Amino acid sequence: MRRTGRRRDLIITGIVFVALTVAGEFWVIRTDFHPMPASREAGIVDGAFDLLMVLSVPVFAFVIAVLGYALARFRVSHGDADPVRHDPRFMWGWLVVSAGLAIFSIFNPGFKGLEELRAEPNADLVIGVTAEQWNWSFSFEEEGLTLEDPEELVLPVDTRIAFEVTSVDVIHSFWIPAFRIKVDAIPGQVETVLTTPTVTGEYEANPMFRVQCAEMCGTGHARMSTAVRVVDQDEFDAWLTGMRADA
Amino acid sequence: MTTSDHVVVSKLTLDRFGLWLFILSETGLFVALLAARFYLTGFEVPEEANQVVALTITSILLASSGTAYLAEVASRFGDSALFRKAMMATLLLGLVFLVGVGVEWSEAFHAFPPSTLYGSSFFFMTGMHAFHVLTGMIFLGIVYRMSRGAPASHKWPVEASVKYWHFVDVVWVFFYPALYLIN
Amino acid sequence: MRAIAPLAKGLGGGILGYAIGGGIFVGIRALAGAGQPWDLTTVLVGGWLFGLVGWLLGVGVWAHWARAWFGWPLRPYERTGWQRYFAFDTDHKVIGIQYLITFLGMFFLAGLLAVLMRTELMSSGRDVMSPATYNSVMSLHGTVMVFVAIATIIGAFGNYVVPLMIGAEDMAFPKLNALSYWMIPPVFIFLFASFFVGGYDSGWTAYPPLSVTNEPGQVLFGLAFITIGLSSIIGGVNFITTIVKMRAPGLTWGRLPIFVWSILLTAILAYLFSQFVAVAMIMIILERVVGTVFFTADGGGQPLLYQHIFWFYSHPAVYVMILPAWGVILEVISHCSRKPLFAYKWAVGGLIGVTSMSAIVWAHHMFTAVPEPLKEPFLATTELISIPTGLVFLSALGTLWQGRLRMTVPMLFSVGVLFNFLIGGLTGVFLADVPADVQLHDTYFVVGHFHYVIVGGGIFGLFAAIYYWFPKMTGRMYSSRLGKLHFWLAIIGFNLTFLPMFMAGLQGMNRRIADYLPYLEPVNRWVSLAGFFFGASFLVFIWNYIRSWRIGERAPDNPWNAYTLEWQTSSPPPLHNFSQPPVVVGDPYCYGEEDAEHAVVGERVEA
Ligand code: HEA
Ligand code: HEA
Ligand code: CUA
Ligand SMILES: [Cu+2]
């Protein structure tokens, strides 16, 4: 009698688990958690996040199913439970599955994502970025143009760009949300981050197109941002020429 | 088993255990200092470091460990006179060590001041160590003072402060080569 | 008058010490020929050591302890009743309550700071305070809360309950225990005093060079951190010695209640790692006072060195925040499920695993700064730490399954921890993944993650502990109805507040900002309102707590019918805890087993 009761508990919990998982996966796959991706890197980063969501759903569903069922079914106001201290199948099963998931996630999206991020190390355009309390400066070395605390940063679409980021005072962090790139600007050190913008766009239409300081750097930290505009190559060249003429 | 053998571990056992734990924890502190020194300056030792003074104060500190040991043994055998002499010698040697550090510092201020990378590590490490020498001397001084009455009843404070003193010496045994010899 | 004499003497000693220490440092500066000997930073730092010593001597170390060093008779403050709580008392039960009340007070204060922050963040643009003030308020909120999370459960319940659970009369070093408590008031005085010298805007992480160049409030932060570090180390030595050496006869490692295990491991972490943060803080202070160049790039220093040292401590510190909470909830879940703790050895193994792995994951806070080759190893170790963490869940779920659950207030909070921490832990796995963290780092996604683990895990665990041991500590019972009301308001308010933060982060809201772009206004307004609601839920608690302590109905010695030793004595326990020395004869979780018995107190003598 008791035994069949226990089997029923397991079966119902199993069904709840599967149902929650299916519903969760459905939701995760249908939902777009991210702002519009605007660079090659964005695909990799968002992909990593989405894969982790897919992997988390069963873990979450399992814990919630067991917890919820136990809370719903096993509330009693008298007597002690059967003193079950072990259940090797459950314990080893748990260990193997959780270790498997953890190790899997190390390789994918972990190592795999890193490898993809590093896959194209050669840039066509190098931009020096200097952070200073509380603004950004950009220098197009080869093009012979330096912009100090400009209104906006203009970038060419579909070009491999390397940002060489440094700081002159405290630590800042160079972040363009639309591109999903972020690297700290550290005094005395140059950190390089690469990206390829894949769509044109501008800050006014999409606030993700901005250089945002992401590391606490003092009073002006919140406002330490610069608009970004991504344009096609011709427009970029025209812009460069115009800026150089102004300077 | 009877209920009478209560949890009573001897106080001394607890004290000893606690002291060792404390010393282990302090070790972490000095390991952090060493790690920072090597992270920042590798194996660099400036020419100007005064090797003579350094070697002298190192030997003095080692000698003070010897006298401290003597004091501990004397206290264990209840030899109050010897204990006080050895303790006094330890305190004096400690003082000489501190003076030696002072000499080092006054030279270092010109040769490699704290505003240089090596100087930063040098002053931090020697300063931290000297601070521990100073606290060790305060402990030894208190024990010395307590011994005016009945030394026999203060075995644990003697043991504790002497152990701590040895520990401070051992730290120097690591700091000395790290600051002066490795190159 | 009599009641506050020790405090007054402590304050007097502190101020005197501060004056002496500050004077010495100013003197040194004058001798060294500095142009302006009256430097605020120098005085703040110089006075610290002497001020701390003066305070401690005044508050009781001199009268209770140090006089003997000079061959003079001790003159302890003889206090009875409530006055004991304001004096240098060495009873672990008094100290536990001192910790609890102090830290609850700090929790509410820092909560009110959060309310201030959320008011500013209600809408885009400047509302109630300047960015500089916001930054200081934010930093202070984070710091005070971190200290609350690090020290409350271990300080309050580690002290109160652990000696009882292991059948000891007191802690191994009662005076050191009092010493580590009395180091706490200066910590908070320093932190709040920082406001008067310009505050500090570096967050609780205090990265240089910012923390070297900002307002002098920063050095008070550093000194506070060093002080609480000292207190943790002393407390850690005390807990380790007590648990290793003073367990009742028969209380083998395999029979040790899981809460005691968690406190032991927490103590080990706190005691092995606090030095590192002290070193980091000293380096910051040296940089400011002496002009060293550890972190100053112009002098050849490396700003990143600080982050390595800081996180080498602070990652273990986050487990200092959560391990005691896990101990509490596993304890409560077993007792309230009337079922032995499932897979006890695995749970202990999980705790040990987390403890040992916590030292090798620190750089996951620095993924956007460290050299490329460091990313893979730290990604891997961080992901792996979820395996031992999972064992805690395994044990909790296994215990609940087929249990006979009593849905008491502590049980509700324990289940709440499981739910909240699951979300917090899983989002931690996202952050550990470098490609995802590139975007999420320093956004509200991280803010959401750590409020889920610290508040949803650690603080909910703290409240589970408060509700569980309240009858033991006060001898009275609280209103369960109000307790349950508090729980439901809290868990709903909590999730409504912090779940949307993940959304805000994904939408590009970075953290530590006094102002945000207008498109983020809806989510922030929601978070603020929900945050006020969550805060208000604590009013129910405060009412219930104070009222029950004063006029609650008398509680029986063992209201939960639990087997562990703290329930086998009166509520509250007598001065030396047990009328007769207890002997442990079995497992602490022997529910449902025939003739089961955990411990015998006194009466029966066996061969
Ligand atoms: C109580 C404190 C606490 C705890 C317990 C944790 C737990 C974890 N934390 Fe968290 N963390 C903080 C407090 C805490 N953290 C704080 C305060 C910060 C911000 C600091 C600052 O910058 O101000 C932070 C920041 C932080 C970062 C840096 C983010 C950034 O700044 O970019 C990272 C990155 O890896 C991280 C990861 C993790 C992981 C992987 C865990 C893991 O331990 C979680 C493991 C738990 C689970 C995974 C869930 C349960 C497990 C199972 C059900 C088993 C099966 C599951 C799997 C196999 C996945 N945390
Ligand atoms: C224990 C840890 C803890 C706790 C409990 C909290 C609680 C809360 N935190 Fe906190 N928080 C941190 C730890 C914690 N936080 C840390 C470490 C940081 C990082 C700082 C940094 O970046 O350096 C942070 C940062 C942080 C931020 C990000 C700031 C920024 O990046 O700009 C925000 C924003 O909303 C926030 C909000 C809140 C809110 C709304 C609560 C609410 O839960 C608060 C609920 C309210 C109360 C608990 C008050 C109750 C009071 C009463 C009911 C009145 C009674 C009062 C008296 C009788 C005196 N916190
Ligand atoms: Cu620059 Cu934040
Ligand atoms: Cu961490």
Side-chain angles (χ1 to χ4, degrees), chain B residues 1-3 5-7 9 11 13-15 17-18 20-22 24-26 28-29 31-33 36 39-40 114-117 120-121 124 128 131 142 145-146, chain C residues 49 69-70 167 169 173 233 237 240-241 244-249 271 275-276 279 282-283 286 290-294 300-302 305 308 581 583 602 604 606-607:
Chain B
M1 190 193 300
T2 63
T3 47
D5 59 6
H6 186 43
V7 237
V9 205
K11 182 86 181 93
T13 317
L14 294 181
D15 285 343
F17 191 79
W20 279 115
L21 282 177
F22 184 71
L24 186 65
S25 147
E26 288 259 90
L29 179 78
V31 167
L33 299 192
Y39 184 92
L40 285 173
S115 55
T116 63
L117 206 49
S120 297
S121 286
F124 187 21
M128 201 59 159
F131 176 71
I142 290 175
R145 196 167 150 155
M146 278 161 114
Chain C
L49 186 59
W69 302 341
F70 299 86
E169 288 187 350
F173 308 112
I233 291 173
V237 169
I240 298 170
T241 313
V244 172
K245 292 283 182 192
M246 294 175 60
R247 281 166 291 129
Y271 133 98
Q275 309 80 313
F276 290 90
V279 166
I282 296 174
M283 285 162 108
L286 287 178
V290 188
T292 55
V293 292
F294 297 112
Q302 301 199 16
L305 172 62
H308 283 293
V583 176
R604 202 156 47 93
E606 272 176 82

Side-chain angles (χ1 to χ4, degrees), chain A residues 116-136:
Chain A
E116 286 169 11
L117 285 175
R118 290 174 189 145
E120 294 175 23
N122 299 320
D124 304 321
L125 173 65
V126 178
I127 304 178
V129 178
T130 307
E132 179 184 10
Q133 281 172 326
W134 291 281
N135 57 59
W136 299 99

Side-chain angles (χ1 to χ4, degrees), chain A residues 3 10 18 28 51 69 74 95 146 171 193 195-196 205 221:
Chain A
R3 281 213 123 158
L10 285 178
V18 172
V28 164
L51 179 55
Y69 189 81
F74 302 137
L95 188 65
T146 301
I171 299 181
V193 61
T195 187
T196 311
H221 166 65

Side-chain angles (χ1 to χ4, degrees), chain B residues 19-20 22-24 26-27 29-30 57-58 61-62 64-65 68 90 94 97-98 101 125-140 160-176:
Chain B
L19 183 73
W20 279 115
F22 184 71
I23 285 178
L24 186 65
E26 288 259 90
T27 310
L29 179 78
F30 293 109
I57 60 175
T58 305
L61 202 60
L62 288 180
S64 82
S65 244
T90 312
F97 175 83
L98 286 183
V101 173
M125 288 170 71
T126 52
M128 201 59 159
H129 180 260
F131 176 71
H132 280 78
V133 171
L134 194 67
T135 43
M137 284 173 65
I138 292 176
F139 292 149
L140 293 175
S161 55
V162 169
K163 279 220 176 91
Y164 185 73
W165 189 255
H166 290 323
F167 166 69
V168 175
D169 275 15
V170 171
V171 169
W172 187 253
V173 170
F174 283 91
F175 274 23
Y176 169 63

Side-chain angles (χ1 to χ4, degrees), chain A residues 31-141:
Chain A
T31 315
D32 184 4
F33 297 98
H34 313 281
M36 194 225 345
S39 76
R40 172 187 170 271
E41 283 61 38
I44 301 166
V45 167
D46 294 354
F49 186 96
D50 294 340
L51 179 55
L52 285 169
M53 277 305 252
V54 169
L55 292 177
S56 308
V57 164
V59 177
F60 187 77
F62 182 76
V63 175
I64 295 304
V66 176
L67 197 62
Y69 189 81
L71 293 182
R73 284 285 299 162
F74 302 137
R75 286 190 315 221
V76 188
S77 61
H78 61 91
D80 286 357
D82 278 0
V84 180
R85 288 171 181 274
H86 305 278
D87 182 343
R89 273 172 312 169
F90 176 45
M91 287 151 67
W92 285 103
W94 176 287
L95 188 65
V96 169
V97 172
S98 69
L101 276 172
I103 293 169
F104 180 82
S105 69
I106 291 175
F107 288 99
N108 187 13
F111 291 178
K112 181 156 164 277
L114 273 172
E115 202 172 291
E116 286 169 11
L117 285 175
R118 290 174 189 145
E120 294 175 23
N122 299 320
D124 304 321
L125 173 65
V126 178
I127 304 178
V129 178
T130 307
E132 179 184 10
Q133 281 172 326
W134 291 281
N135 57 59
W136 299 99
S137 299
F138 307 93
S139 72
F140 298 71
E141 289 286 339

Side-chain angles (χ1 to χ4, degrees), chain C residues 311 314-316 318-319 358 361-365 382 449:
Chain C
W311 289 116
S314 285
H315 185 82
V318 309
Y319 294 107
S358 71
V361 301
W362 76 90
H364 66 215
H365 295 274
T382 308
H449 159 68

